[in-house]
Amino acid sequence: MLIVMKFGGTSVGSAERIAQAAELAIASARKGHRVVVVTSAMSGVTNLLIDAATNAARGQWAADVRQQLFARHESVAATLIPDPARRASALAEIDKRLDRFEKLCFGLSMVHELTPRLLDAISGTGEMLAAPLVAAAIAARGTASSSVDATELIVTTDQFGGAEPLMDATRDKSGARIGPLLAAGEIPVATGFIGATTDGVLTTLGRGGSDYSASILGAALDADEIWIWTDVDGVMTANPGDVPEARTMAEISYSEASELAYYGAKVLHYKTIIPAFRQRIPVRILNSFNPTHPGTRVSVEGDPSVPGVKAVTAIRGVSLITISGTGMQGIPGIVARAFDVVADQQSNVLMISQASSENNICFVISTKEAPRVVKALKVALDIDLARGHIEEITDQAVAVVAAVGDRMRGTPGIAATVFGALGASGINVTAISQGSSERNISMVIADGDAAKAVRALHQAFKLHEAPAEARP
């Protein structure tokens, strides 16, 4: 079986954690599996790199950042790699990559312009520092391993800051580079988060990029499974910070995982599973701090034995934009123009709701984007405002709570339970949205009511109880 294992920042955040990651990869290899590792940067490193780039663009480049980064990775190498020659080789690779980082930041401090392309080149350095350490840790334990930059594997568009993979080219390059290493019995260690354009320019894959890298490589290599090693036991029925009795789900479907990720669950980014979904490759969410836990398996079918709502999640830090006016009825093009503005502002719409009377349309976007979107809407719709077709355009800080489950479709009483639970808890629903797939019901509520709403729904659907067949 070919397994692509991705280790997150906390799973490679120290010498102890990298040693554990190496042991986990080797343990699977000893069972006869072929293993490809994808690593994130050590925890905190990417933020340090981005801060350094931002400060350099302001003319405040701190030359000691390079030394901080080298010292941290050198300390880890001293603990992990007993062989002096192997340790010196890993540190030489790290030093070379930090030289590049330092030169980029120094140049940035001269020109004072942090472009998306330059930010990608700097922020992707953390994975390039971690990969040689992870590979050396595996090799130090008796299994051959090489680090491979994902710029040699993943071919992407030139959308810096959020590049998309070009899968045909990625399949060709990954097979040619990784295939011989696997055939030789090695465990290749690839850098997560980054790729390169067809011209070889480094790009990053955006938020959740290392998970996305694992899914892309898994699809490109026709992996049998993709394992995401993180610091939680799997995908839970709710955020345990909101619901202490939330439990880990044994199996969910791709569609449920995508809905949960889109609506705020932080274990997986919703983009992550797309390449795996297309290839029908199961994804396992596992805890490197608790490796004996079975975690959550994400598959095509999910768990068909669990009816109705399977999990509840919430998105915070969002705003409800409302365009309203009795004169909107029968006026063509207002909705189209409104969403053209949102697209021009490069804002992602999380939810849309419109009354059939056409007197009101509302949608949810990030609170950070709300002021500029509202301003742009007022400019674009100024004639309709002046004529009274539109009376006001407002924004309000809110939260979105979603009840998610594949088998909500055709299950009577779901909506009644949702609104009954919220009503009993004194929570007012401002707007509602449900897709025709009936896979989720999303509700806009006051920002301060999010945790209470999640708890109420979790209790109402008895999600703290394991499915009957899973109980001891």
Side-chain angles (χ1 to χ4, degrees):
M1 188 162 78
L2 173 57
I3 303 170
V4 174
M5 292 187 178
K6 179 265 178 177
F7 292 92
T10 55
S11 296
V12 293
S14 66
E16 178 186 7
R17 301 315 312 160
I18 292 175
Q20 170 76 341
E23 293 288 355
L24 290 168
I26 291 169
S28 288
R30 285 176 178 160
K31 292 177 181 176
H33 302 306
R34 293 174 297 153
V35 177
V36 177
V37 169
V38 175
T39 182
S40 294
M42 294 180 69
S43 53
V45 167
T46 300
N47 287 340
L48 183 60
L49 292 166
I50 292 172
D51 288 345
T54 303
N55 290 333
R58 297 172 181 154
Q60 300 169 357
W61 161 236
D64 65 339
V65 173
R66 182 196 190 283
Q67 185 53 38
Q68 288 179 44
L69 290 166
F70 185 80
R72 180 174 178 186
H73 291 80
E74 182 183 38
S75 173
V76 170
T79 303
L80 285 175
I81 313 169
D83 179 72
R86 185 173 282 148
R87 183 168 64 248
S89 176
L91 289 174
E93 189 66 29
I94 288 168
D95 198 47
K96 182 173 71 175
R97 294 171 180 197
L98 285 172
D99 276 347
R100 173 178 168 276
F101 158 72
E102 187 173 38
K103 288 172 183 174
L104 288 171
C105 283
F106 181 76
L108 184 55
S109 69
M110 298 291 102
V111 299
H112 296 257
E113 183 182 2
L114 182 56
T115 64
R117 175 172 172 169
L118 189 51
L119 181 58
D120 272 7
I122 293 171
S123 62
T125 303
E127 284 71 15
M128 298 167 75
L129 302 176
L133 291 180
V134 177
I138 293 171
R141 284 157 177 78
T143 301
S145 182
S146 304
S147 65
V148 182
D149 284 355
T151 53
E152 301 177 52
L153 307 173
I154 298 176
V155 184
T156 74
T157 63
D158 61 359
Q159 185 180 342
F160 297 102
E164 293 295 332
L166 303 175
M167 287 305 300
D168 289 342
T170 296
R171 178 178 287 271
D172 291 342
K173 293 194 76 170
S174 296
R177 184 71 174 88
I178 297 294
L181 298 177
L182 292 172
E186 288 199 33
I187 297 178
V189 178
T191 51
F193 185 51
I194 64 174
T197 67
T198 53
D199 296 327
V201 178
L202 188 148
T203 57
T204 63
L205 300 171
R207 182 188 160 203
S210 291
D211 288 354
Y212 198 16
S213 298
S215 186
I216 292 166
L217 285 177
L221 296 169
D222 293 319
D224 295 286
E225 289 195 351
I226 298 164
W227 294 5
I228 307 294
W229 289 98
T230 182
D231 54 5
V232 296
D233 287 337
V235 182
M236 304 189 75
T237 52
N239 180 348
D242 293 333
V243 185
E245 63 270 25
R247 60 177 179 81
T248 303
M249 294 178 283
E251 185 154 6
I252 59 175
S253 70
Y254 288 118
S255 55
E256 287 168 333
S258 181
E259 292 282 348
L260 288 168
Y262 189 79
Y263 283 96
K266 293 184 171 63
V267 175
L268 274 178
H269 189 259
Y270 71 92
K271 272 187 178 181
T272 293
I273 59 174
I274 293 174
F277 170 75
R278 288 172 178 159
Q279 297 289 111
R280 300 299 193 263
I281 301 170
V283 177
R284 291 186 185 272
I285 314 300
L286 300 161
N287 188 351
S288 67
F289 292 79
N290 184 21
T292 59
H293 193 284
T296 300
R297 184 175 185 267
V298 184
S299 64
V300 174
E301 303 83 8
D303 186 349
S305 68
V306 181
V309 173
K310 189 175 281 188
V312 183
T313 189
I315 310 177
R316 297 169 172 86
V318 294
S319 290
L320 182 70
I321 308 299
T322 303
I323 303 171
S324 58
T326 54
M328 289 172 60
Q329 287 189 30
I331 304 296
I334 288 181
V335 174
R337 281 183 285 143
F339 285 109
D340 280 345
V341 170
V342 176
D344 288 343
Q345 294 298 310
Q346 297 186 324
S347 180
N348 184 36
V349 176
L350 302 170
M351 173 181 158
I352 304 168
S353 181
Q354 183 178 16
S356 59
S357 66
E358 299 183 25
N359 288 343
N360 176 293
I361 180 169
C362 57
F363 54 91
V364 176
I365 61 173
S366 167
T367 295
K368 293 179 181 178
E369 299 167 346
R372 76 167 190 270
V373 169
V374 170
K375 181 178 179 180
L377 284 169
K378 288 179 177 178
V379 171
L381 302 174
D382 59 342
I383 295 176
D384 297 282
L385 284 162
R387 291 175 176 172
H389 298 155
I390 297 174
E391 293 168 9
E392 59 180 357
I393 301 173
T394 62
D395 69 286
Q396 174 189 359
V398 296
V400 177
V401 172
V404 175
D406 268 347
R407 287 158 189 86
M408 289 168 59
R409 186 183 183 93
T411 303
I414 296 287
T417 302
V418 166
F419 296 114
L422 295 180
S425 298
I427 297 168
N428 184 49
V429 176
T430 305
I432 305 161
S433 179
Q434 180 175 18
S436 59
S437 68
E438 298 183 38
R439 193 170 287 125
N440 83 71
I441 300 176
S442 304
M443 296 141 289
V444 176
I445 61 173
D447 186 48
D449 286 338
K452 183 166 65 169
V454 170
R455 285 193 295 270
L457 295 177
H458 197 274
Q459 179 64 36
F461 288 102
K462 297 181 170 58
L463 300 182
H464 56 286
E465 299 177 3
E469 74 286 349
R471 293 174 196 156

